[in-house]
Amino acid sequence: MAKVDSYLNVRNKPGESSKIVGKMTKNSGCNIYKVNKGWAKIVSGKVKGYVKASYLVKDQQAEELAKKIANLRISVNTETLNVRYLPSTDAGIYDQISEEDEYDIYKRDLTKTWLKKYVSKHCKKSDLRNIDTKEMYNNLENWMCISIDNEKAFVSKDFVKVTFNLDRAVSINESGLASKTSSDSSDSSDLTNMVSYAMQFLGNPYVWGGTSLTNGTDCSGFVMRIYEHFGYSLPRTSAAQAGATKTVSSGDVRPGDLFFYGSGGVSHVAMYIGNGQIIHASNPRTGIKISSAYYRTPVKIGRVIG
């Protein structure tokens, strides 16, 4: 397991000057093939390469730590899956999630008592208008509640696989981080540097309402501070940021563009880094992380520069 405060670089060859192919965030796990001259050859998720062995916790110490850190998660066994506001196919669609990512389980086994408290706290009467509530409460064994960023929603157990695992390395294609940029050279330089700058804060904490890249930030505070560092002003909230950016299509997306997500309005924002990936302040458990850009369906892709 990676014993670091933020992240550990995975390189294609042993050596500080070798190309970075991935990053392991704090407490993410890997398998070690061998250790030679201070470098460990590892595989973590889909990433293979070399890390400095001194930053790994191994053997029994790693096993004990893993028992405390590992989380129950789901992966989707269909291309996309509808996520519902409530555990019923009659409930409104909250979002669509992708087979390209994993999602934390908030509550695996639902009970009638728990759901009634959830409904009283989070739902209006109109949310239940088209739902057969008796049937919903009688079929709770077929549903679970998951976390998407810092929000909660429900999925059918029929279309997901449950695993108990650690975070794994995310792949990084350095040459592709800013492969599609503006024709203006100053814009291109800003975008390339912006992505590299944002990556420095990988693994740092999520704090709701926060704007500190080191001590804690939420999703909109994160992108606001990244852009601010390069002289660009963005509004404070994700919804306001969506309104302040130019809409672009998914076929025209380039590093530095902002991906906006939400249901019934924008509630989350992330920055595209290239290679089909985004970086974002996701939630208190994971902090600033890298995800597939389509881990959930974006409601808008916005451009600030160019």
Side-chain angles (χ1 to χ4, degrees), residues 24-295:
M24 294 177 65
T25 51
K26 180 180 179 180
N27 293 328
S28 56
C30 67
N31 291 322
I32 301 173
Y33 289 132
K34 64 179 180 179
V35 178
N36 184 32
K37 295 181 179 180
W39 288 86
K41 184 178 181 181
I42 63 100
V43 59
S44 179
K46 297 179 180 179
V47 179
K48 295 181 180 180
Y50 296 82
V51 300
K52 277 198 166 183
S54 58
Y55 292 109
L56 295 178
V57 175
K58 302 180 284 292
D59 303 325
Q60 186 173 350
Q61 186 181 359
E63 289 182 15
E64 292 301 318
L65 183 58
K67 292 176 183 177
K68 300 175 183 177
I69 300 298
N71 288 280
L72 273 175
R73 294 183 184 152
I74 64 158
S75 56
V76 178
N77 56 25
T78 182
E79 187 174 348
T80 57
L81 177 64
N82 289 333
V83 181
R84 304 278 178 174
Y85 281 102
L86 287 168
S88 167
T89 53
D90 294 327
I93 297 174
Y94 174 83
D95 210 332
Q96 285 190 322
I97 57 176
S98 164
E99 63 181 350
E100 297 178 8
D101 220 322
E102 292 182 337
Y103 306 84
D104 288 341
I105 296 174
Y106 182 74
K107 190 168 181 63
R108 183 177 182 178
D109 298 310
L110 305 182
T111 65
K112 190 173 182 178
T113 300
W114 179 87
L115 185 59
K116 282 189 172 183
K117 289 181 180 179
Y118 180 91
V119 168
S120 66
K121 184 176 180 180
H122 298 283
C123 300
K124 304 184 294 290
K125 285 186 177 180
S126 58
D127 296 330
L128 302 170
R129 189 173 297 148
N130 298 317
I131 298 175
D132 185 334
T133 54
K134 182 178 180 181
E135 182 180 0
M136 179 178 73
Y137 284 116
N138 286 336
N139 287 282
L140 294 181
E141 71 274 7
N142 297 321
W143 293 82
M144 67 174 70
C145 183
I146 66 169
S147 296
I148 304 177
D149 299 318
N150 211 25
E151 303 158 20
K152 308 293 183 292
F154 297 85
V155 294
S156 169
K157 292 180 180 179
D158 292 338
F159 302 102
V160 300
K161 177 183 178 182
V162 176
T163 55
F164 191 68
N165 56 26
L166 298 164
D167 288 337
R168 290 164 291 188
V170 290
S171 61
I172 299 295
N173 180 356
E174 284 187 310
S175 62
L177 287 179
S179 57
K180 292 175 69 179
T181 57
S182 169
S183 58
D184 182 272
S185 60
S186 62
D187 286 354
S188 175
S189 177
D190 274 355
L191 292 170
T192 303
N193 293 334
M194 190 177 291
V195 169
S196 297
Y197 180 69
M199 297 286 282
Q200 296 178 33
F201 305 103
L202 187 65
N204 283 358
Y206 173 100
V207 174
W208 188 85
T211 59
S212 171
L213 295 173
T214 52
N215 297 324
T217 182
D218 60 17
C219 63
S220 55
F222 175 68
V223 299
M224 181 185 73
R225 291 300 189 211
I226 297 298
Y227 269 88
E228 181 182 76
H229 183 78
F230 291 89
Y232 299 91
S233 178
L234 283 177
R236 175 63 185 91
T237 67
S238 57
Q241 289 170 359
T245 56
K246 173 187 174 184
T247 300
V248 295
S249 68
S250 58
D252 187 38
V253 66
R254 70 188 189 200
D257 287 343
L258 300 181
F259 275 59
F260 297 96
Y261 308 90
S263 181
V266 172
S267 59
H268 191 72
V269 60
M271 190 175 83
Y272 189 66
I273 61 172
N275 201 32
Q277 296 176 312
I278 46 109
I279 186 168
H280 58 143
S282 178
N283 61 63
R285 190 191 69 78
T286 62
I288 297 169
K289 63 179 285 189
I290 291 172
S291 301
S292 161
Y294 297 92
Y295 76 107

